[in-house]
Amino acid sequence: MTIKTNSVPEAALTGSLRDFRSPEGPDLIARTDGFYDWQNLRREHELWPYARSTSTAPQARCEARSDTGEVFAGINFASQDYLSLSSHPAVKAAAIAAINEYGVHSAGSAALLGNTANSLLLEQGLSEFLGGREIVLYPTGWAAGYGSVQGFVRGNDHVVMDILAHSCLQEGAKAATQNIHYHGHLNLEALARKLQRIRANDQENGIMVVTESLFSMHSDTPDLLAMRALCNEYGATLLVDCAHDLGSIGEDGLGHLGLQNALDAADIIIGSFSKTFGSNGGFIAVKSRATAEYLKYYSATHTFSNALSPVQAASVLCALDIVRSEEGRLLRRKLMDNILYLRAEMTRAGLETLGDPSPIVPVRLGLEGVGRFASRHLMAMGGIANLVEYPAVPQGGARFRFQVMASHTRDDIDQVVAILASAMREADLEYRLGHEGRQDTGPAHMATAVA
């Protein structure tokens, strides 16, 4: 291929979304221009790989468009449909039946007249799946995460959370209290120190410890029982976000809550339907009716949002039935086979995968500039995966996040690994040629500056 590095300005290879998070100036509208200028510079050089849209169903191979309208097609490892249920015939049939019976809209808050028979059946099914817990449904997984913290925590309470906790959890904490304490990722000793210091000074107010059962950028998991023990010691409430592994991992589909025998350890479980269950929406699962009823009227994203549509509720309920069936167990086995094969082939090709086996396979790129070139080449060669940059991951820790589906074949995996290896070679060369004479730290994809 012809390298055109000299035409790519350095500004398109550097900078991050964080640079534009807090613009200054009296004109709230005009001060957004700086971000657009930087974004558009990347877009002009085909280095803006976000806001793409699918032109076909988000299956293992699909057609899509860039945000400039460019059509491309390829092997799809960028969609969150782990058990491939969003196009399952039974799920589509359930959605169509719900439309015929109810129309397409809930037309009200669940606190008023927004529930349907489908949403009540979904609550019942989720309760059975999660050992008899009380279920509160939300219109999105983000709303459930936000509402799970905001609904319980008040101004004098404390939130202690993993530094990599999802945006919905962090924003929910900011809305609830100024007493937010972050600890290092998966660092139990740091968590214990935070709890000890809080309780040494405050015996009166509540503490919520917030974690995820599977962290989506690193594909790793905490020791949930050890966290439960620390919560017991310091009188804290444990919240676990199981958005990415519930339904998709484990013989029973309970993810790391099941694998660690920790289903009862979490006081509050939250989840999303958008990864495994074929639809938008989310839920909070708690241990008592009183707790659930409180959430329904004091968790803003439940009370002041329209309820799940009857179509969403019917789709998720059908997907849940599959997840809990023998078919679901076989799909999880197929998914894990694909995960392990993809990770092994990446390693065989000299590429570095991160974390533990899960439907998320992060592949390390290194410098943000290298990642941007690699993403451009990957798309052009027929591979589709999401580029993740700082500040979503540490600076100098850019990566592709491959999201695996049960419907991927060995041929899909073999091809995408070959495409990625080629894209990385081109990106490495392109970046290095554009930085001749600068400090050389070895292969560009190996240069790191982890924050």
Side-chain angles (χ1 to χ4, degrees):
M1 67 173 289
T2 301
I3 301 296
K4 298 181 179 180
T5 302
N6 293 335
S7 66
V8 178
E10 188 69 11
L13 299 173
T14 57
S16 74
L17 288 167
R18 176 165 287 183
D19 297 338
F20 307 95
R21 175 64 181 84
S22 301
E24 297 179 347
D27 190 329
L28 294 175
I29 305 302
R31 72 190 195 185
T32 65
D33 290 347
F35 166 71
Y36 179 73
D37 291 343
W38 173 76
Q39 178 198 44
N40 212 37
L41 182 66
R42 290 182 59 179
R43 184 181 286 118
E44 289 170 357
H45 294 278
E46 301 177 32
L47 299 175
W48 184 256
Y50 306 112
R52 299 175 292 185
S53 57
T54 55
S55 304
T56 58
Q59 297 178 341
R61 294 181 182 240
C62 74
E63 182 179 287
R65 291 179 182 269
S66 71
D67 80 336
T68 61
E70 179 186 356
V71 177
F72 62 97
I75 307 165
N76 178 21
F77 282 86
S79 295
Q80 299 179 149
D81 190 17
Y82 300 150
L83 295 190
S84 304
L85 296 182
S86 68
S87 295
H88 192 287
V91 175
K92 292 195 291 186
I96 292 168
I99 290 173
N100 289 334
E101 185 170 0
Y102 292 100
V104 298
H105 186 31
S106 65
S109 164
L112 299 172
L113 195 64
N115 283 321
T116 64
N118 287 340
S119 57
L120 298 180
L121 288 171
L122 178 57
E123 289 175 359
Q124 180 181 335
L126 283 169
S127 177
E128 293 170 357
F129 185 47
L130 294 171
R133 286 178 179 252
E134 297 287 334
I135 305 297
V136 182
L137 298 175
Y138 286 76
T140 66
W142 201 97
Y146 181 98
S148 65
V149 184
Q150 174 272 324
F152 289 114
V153 174
R154 298 296 174 260
N156 292 327
D157 295 327
H158 302 262
V159 176
V160 184
M161 63 170 58
D162 193 296
I163 190 66
L164 298 185
H166 193 271
S167 164
C168 62
L169 303 167
Q170 298 199 33
E171 294 302 319
K174 292 174 186 176
T177 181
Q178 294 184 350
N179 302 323
I180 304 172
H181 315 263
Y182 294 100
H183 66 82
H185 183 49
L186 304 186
N187 190 330
L188 289 172
E189 292 182 359
L191 172 59
R193 288 195 299 270
K194 297 285 185 184
L195 292 171
Q196 192 278 328
R197 289 171 187 166
I198 293 168
R199 278 293 178 235
N201 294 291
D202 186 352
Q203 298 288 328
E204 303 300 322
N205 294 294
I207 304 174
M208 177 180 282
V209 173
V210 176
T211 192
E212 302 180 23
S213 52
L214 178 65
F215 284 85
S216 65
M217 298 301 175
H218 290 63
S219 188
D220 52 12
T221 185
D223 185 336
L224 296 172
L225 294 181
M227 295 186 76
R228 175 72 265 167
L230 287 172
C231 288
N232 291 343
E233 183 177 355
Y234 293 102
T237 297
L238 180 60
L239 181 151
V240 180
D241 178 355
C242 57
H244 283 274
D245 58 335
L246 187 71
S248 66
I249 289 179
E251 282 292 297
D252 54 8
L254 289 174
H256 285 282
L257 290 172
L259 293 175
Q260 297 188 38
N261 195 28
L263 182 61
D264 193 54
D267 297 297
I268 304 164
I269 296 171
I270 66 173
S272 171
F273 302 136
S274 59
K275 279 71 178 176
T276 299
F277 297 90
S279 181
N280 291 338
F283 69 90
I284 300 176
V286 291
K287 294 182 178 180
S288 74
R289 173 74 182 275
T291 310
E293 289 296 321
Y294 186 86
L295 269 181
K296 290 178 182 179
Y297 299 97
Y298 291 94
S299 176
T301 46
H302 176 87
T303 310
F304 299 106
S305 297
N306 268 25
L308 279 178
S309 76
V311 185
Q312 291 171 306
S315 300
V316 175
L317 180 59
C318 182
L320 176 63
D321 288 342
I322 295 171
V323 164
R324 298 175 66 191
S325 71
E326 177 65 13
E327 181 184 2
R329 187 174 67 85
L330 294 175
L331 285 171
R332 281 189 293 278
R333 287 185 175 181
K334 176 65 166 60
L335 173 63
M336 185 54 70
D337 285 345
N338 285 343
I339 292 163
L340 295 174
Y341 185 67
L342 176 62
R343 293 177 69 93
E345 291 305 299
M346 289 286 190
T347 301
R348 188 191 303 272
L351 301 166
E352 181 184 358
T353 60
L354 306 174
D356 303 318
S358 83
I360 302 157
V361 179
V363 181
R364 185 174 176 274
L365 301 172
L367 295 173
E368 283 73 18
V370 177
R372 292 169 194 178
F373 282 132
S375 182
R376 182 172 72 178
H377 291 303
L378 184 74
M379 187 173 75
M381 294 176 182
I384 308 175
N386 292 314
L387 175 65
V388 184
E389 304 180 3
Y390 177 80
V393 294
Q395 196 164 22
R399 65 202 59 179
F400 281 121
R401 188 170 74 164
F402 280 74
Q403 293 175 284
V404 188
M405 294 185 250
S407 59
H408 281 127
T409 65
R410 289 287 177 100
D411 188 51
D412 293 332
I413 294 170
D414 289 339
Q415 288 188 43
V416 85
V417 170
I419 289 170
L420 178 59
S422 180
M424 282 299 304
R425 286 192 295 270
E426 297 288 357
D428 224 29
L429 176 62
E430 194 166 6
Y431 186 86
R432 288 166 64 83
L433 287 177
H435 290 76
E436 288 179 348
R438 303 189 183 195
Q439 182 178 358
D440 188 359
T441 55
H445 72 279
M446 295 299 291
T448 60
V450 179

